[in-house]
Amino acid sequence: MPNGFGSTASVPALPRWRVWVLAARPKTLAAAVAPVLMGTAMAWADGGFHLPSAFFALIGALLIQIGTNFANDYADYLKGADTATRKGPLRVTAAGLVTPEAMRRATTLTFALAVVAGLYLIWRGGWPVLAIGLLSILFGILYTSGRYALAYLGLGELFVLIFFGPVAVGGTYYVQTLTITREVLLMGLAPGLISTGILLVNNVRDLEEDRQAGKRTPVVRFGRTFGVGLYAFCLFGALLLPVVWYLLTYRHGGAMAVLALLPASVRAIRTLALERDGAVLNALLAATGRLLLLYSLLFSIGWILT
């Protein structure tokens, strides 16, 4: 089958399960896990931990993230964004490992399963949870699909900041406590910022390919240096949020344990600034995902203990 990478003969044969694991993009799934972990920790600290809600929030978040990744794989193939010059990880539809029809069905099924997982949460939390779930799925589809795809308009970073930040953390906290606080929404910015950093690594790496495909990301609009600077702002901003909150309230000082990630953050920023090799930047993308997961763990433990 002809595809963006030439014939399927140029792509190594992979077991079927491995193909779908690649399509799910496991290196990005920390963006789904981290806000649920943080929202649950904050609910625990406020005496509102509710295990069934936490469980279904995690399953729903993972399914929405995977569904969004499937939709992105399918839409970028249709738009011709995934080509032989791509530096990033293999995209299975463009490589001919999965037919467009199969990827479209997988996307629909995954989002449908997310709805099923969310039924309990909707029963518990009512219309706010329904609205969050439907909007998350809608924007997950619109991220790269349609005439006004968010990523192609340069709005992808804003979507990630909001929906993988305050919306995900706040939603997780709400389904457990059935209330919301300003500190939850403020601290929710942290995983949103680092998740935006993951996207920025992707967009800095794919600058030339995105420009040729008409994908007007902020990096395409304002240049590579801007992208590196925004990445630095995202990482440092996330690290400083618990510090600012403690200085304002003298509460939950243990969350400042995330400052232990400062050296790793500086190394990551330096790598993005100096390296242009696709393999190195792919490794940086995975490292930023690990940074997000470590951040959520340190934050959660510190928040609960203090």
Side-chain angles (χ1 to χ4, degrees):
M1 178 187 299
N3 52 71
F5 294 92
S7 68
T8 54
S10 63
V11 180
L14 296 171
R16 200 66 180 164
W17 67 268
R18 179 61 177 164
V19 171
W20 287 106
V21 168
L22 285 173
R25 305 181 195 177
K27 293 177 182 179
T28 69
L29 297 185
V33 174
V36 174
L37 182 60
M38 290 176 58
T40 298
M42 298 180 86
W44 182 298
D46 290 345
F49 172 69
H50 189 255
L51 180 59
S53 297
F55 173 77
F56 282 109
L58 177 60
I59 296 302
L62 285 169
L63 287 169
I64 290 174
Q65 174 71 54
I66 292 170
T68 300
N69 288 342
F70 286 172
N72 177 236
D73 199 294
Y74 173 72
D76 275 350
Y77 166 79
L78 294 182
K79 293 174 183 287
D82 293 334
T83 68
T85 62
R86 177 178 170 78
K87 297 177 182 178
L90 186 71
R91 292 292 176 257
V92 299
T93 308
L97 297 174
V98 173
T99 66
E101 294 77 13
M103 184 56 73
R104 186 174 65 249
R105 289 194 299 270
T107 301
T108 302
L109 175 62
T110 305
F111 281 135
L113 290 173
V115 171
V116 172
L119 290 177
Y120 172 80
L121 300 177
I122 294 169
W123 172 80
R124 178 171 169 82
W127 70 264
V129 180
L130 175 62
I132 289 173
L134 291 179
L135 286 173
S136 297
I137 292 173
L138 174 63
F139 286 116
I141 295 171
L142 293 179
Y143 181 74
T144 49
S145 301
R147 182 177 180 183
Y148 300 106
L150 298 174
Y152 285 78
L153 294 175
L155 298 175
E157 283 78 2
L158 181 61
F159 161 76
V160 169
L161 173 64
I162 294 173
F163 279 87
F164 290 88
V167 169
V169 176
T172 300
Y173 182 90
Y174 177 79
V175 296
Q176 296 183 63
T177 65
L178 301 182
T179 187
I180 196 70
T181 68
R182 63 176 183 174
E183 66 184 10
V184 170
L185 297 178
L186 178 63
M187 292 301 104
L189 286 170
L193 285 166
I194 303 177
S195 294
T196 302
I198 295 173
L199 180 58
L200 284 165
V201 174
N202 185 81
N203 290 345
V204 168
R205 182 199 63 208
D206 294 342
L207 171 60
E208 294 304 323
E209 294 87 341
D210 287 346
R211 180 180 287 125
Q212 293 170 13
K215 204 171 185 178
R216 303 290 292 169
T217 67
V219 180
V220 170
R221 291 177 182 271
F222 303 113
R224 192 180 195 279
T225 300
F226 175 85
V228 174
L230 190 55
Y231 179 75
F233 173 83
C234 287
L235 296 193
F236 288 150
L239 293 176
L240 287 174
L241 269 173
V243 178
V244 172
W245 180 254
Y246 179 73
L247 291 177
L248 290 175
T249 66
Y250 294 103
R251 297 176 62 236
H252 297 291
M256 292 190 293
V258 299
L259 291 175
L261 300 175
L262 180 59
S265 299
V266 171
R267 288 194 299 271
I269 294 164
R270 179 178 174 82
T271 298
L272 187 62
L274 298 179
E275 295 289 345
R276 295 176 183 269
D277 180 75
V280 174
L281 295 180
N282 289 338
L284 177 62
L285 189 148
T288 308
R290 290 192 297 272
L291 189 71
L292 173 56
L293 196 56
L294 286 171
Y295 182 102
S296 66
L297 287 169
L298 290 172
F299 175 94
S300 297
I301 293 170
W303 191 272
I304 289 172
L305 293 180
T306 56

